[in-house]
Amino acid sequence: MLPVQIPILKRIQNVENKVFNKICIFAKILWLGICKRYEAIKIIYMRKKIIKFSVLPLLATFLLFGFSGKKDVSYKILAADLPEFYFVPVKSMVKPSAKTAPRLNKNYIGFREAVGFKESQGRYWIVNQFGYIGKYQFGKGTLKMLGIYNTEKFRNSPELQEAAFYANASRNKWILRREIKKYVGTTINGVKITESGILAAAHLAGPGGVKSYLRSGGRNYFSDAFGTTISSYLKKFQGYNTSNIVPNRLAKAH
């Protein structure tokens, strides 16, 4: 071998070594990346597995006990002007069935709960497509008349909603006191007229609408946006004892 060729061979060997080293480094980096990705996938898979096996017992527990007959946590009504105290249920996780109405006595509590169920299935927090609020579906105008201006506070307060229902019934009873005296015990369009039926109809159509209906002998027909009529409310809510609702022209909710 010629002396001139030796440096050239050394250079070639150095280049080959550098290339080989770079290839090794690249291979190591690539291998580490694959390993890390595998570990990440493995961790994700294990997390999913853990979640799966931790959720299943919770789901089974909910299905077993979530639909039990236990009552919801309750609020106690402390409004001073209500005729009696009563514990009212707050939001339930289970949507009430339209076919399952509460079975209560024919007293004031039974009356208001029946009206609340008809209006909203007893849901305090609901607002319908026409803007009527709460368990009894009050409009903003009626709430202002009862001294309530903060509708969000009203929607989130079962106590205030119950007080508003009593105040409104008290006011309507005063406005319709002559009609109650005159028409209770009579029959209009095949429906026996009772005080509770008149008060429920006034909640639907206002006292003016009820006056017009009674004085016309049922000829002045009224129905709301859903097609509900005064006559249907007179029939559905007849026969409740509402004697402890005190007539008050200036009734307000507190």
Side-chain angles (χ1 to χ4, degrees), residues 112-132:
R112 79 175 187 197
E113 292 306 305
V115 173
F117 190 86
K118 172 63 177 174
E119 292 288 331
S120 70
Q121 295 183 2
R123 294 174 289 179
Y124 289 104
W125 64 95
I126 193 170
V127 179
N128 77 1
Q129 63 264 49
F130 302 108
Y132 289 89

Side-chain angles (χ1 to χ4, degrees), residues 84 102 104-115 237 240:
E84 52 187 307
L104 298 169
N105 294 327
K106 287 278 188 175
N107 54 14
Y108 169 75
I109 298 301
F111 171 68
R112 79 175 187 197
E113 292 306 305
V115 173
F237 300 106
Y240 288 89

Side-chain angles (χ1 to χ4, degrees), residues 36-220:
K36 286 182 179 180
R37 185 164 181 80
Y38 172 77
E39 288 298 322
I41 292 169
K42 188 176 179 182
I43 289 168
I44 292 168
Y45 175 77
M46 290 301 294
R47 283 180 181 174
K48 286 183 177 179
K49 206 167 183 180
I50 291 167
I51 291 169
K52 179 181 178 182
F53 286 104
S54 63
V55 168
L56 284 174
L58 291 174
L59 182 60
T61 304
F62 176 77
L63 291 174
L64 284 173
F65 301 105
F67 297 95
S68 67
K70 293 182 179 180
K71 293 182 180 178
D72 297 322
V73 179
S74 301
Y75 286 124
K76 190 174 183 180
I77 301 168
L78 300 175
D81 57 351
L82 294 184
E84 52 187 307
F85 295 126
Y86 179 62
F87 284 85
V88 292
V90 296
K91 290 183 185 180
S92 171
M93 291 181 68
V94 182
K95 291 183 179 180
S97 170
K99 297 180 181 179
T100 310
R103 293 183 179 180
L104 298 169
N105 294 327
K106 287 278 188 175
N107 54 14
Y108 169 75
I109 298 301
F111 171 68
R112 79 175 187 197
E113 292 306 305
V115 173
F117 190 86
K118 172 63 177 174
E119 292 288 331
S120 70
Q121 295 183 2
R123 294 174 289 179
Y124 289 104
W125 64 95
I126 193 170
V127 179
N128 77 1
Q129 63 264 49
F130 302 108
Y132 289 89
I133 306 165
K135 177 178 176 181
Y136 301 104
Q137 294 291 279
F138 278 108
K140 292 180 181 179
T142 302
L143 291 177
K144 287 179 181 178
M145 183 181 60
L146 297 174
I148 299 169
Y149 299 93
N150 188 333
T151 55
E152 190 61 25
K153 179 183 176 182
F154 175 76
R155 190 173 73 89
N156 289 294
S157 173
E159 295 94 338
L160 188 55
Q161 291 190 36
E162 298 298 344
F165 179 79
Y166 178 78
N168 191 53
S170 178
R171 180 180 174 276
N172 288 339
K173 189 171 181 177
W174 186 90
I175 295 171
L176 293 165
R177 63 195 184 282
R178 294 187 181 89
E179 284 69 28
I180 289 171
K181 186 176 181 180
K182 182 177 180 179
Y183 293 103
V184 166
T186 64
T187 299
I188 297 177
N189 290 336
V191 178
K192 185 179 179 180
I193 306 301
T194 64
E195 179 179 293
S196 60
I198 288 175
L199 294 178
H203 185 83
L204 172 73
V210 175
K211 277 187 179 185
S212 177
Y213 180 86
L214 294 174
R215 291 177 181 180
S216 69
R219 290 186 297 274
N220 288 349

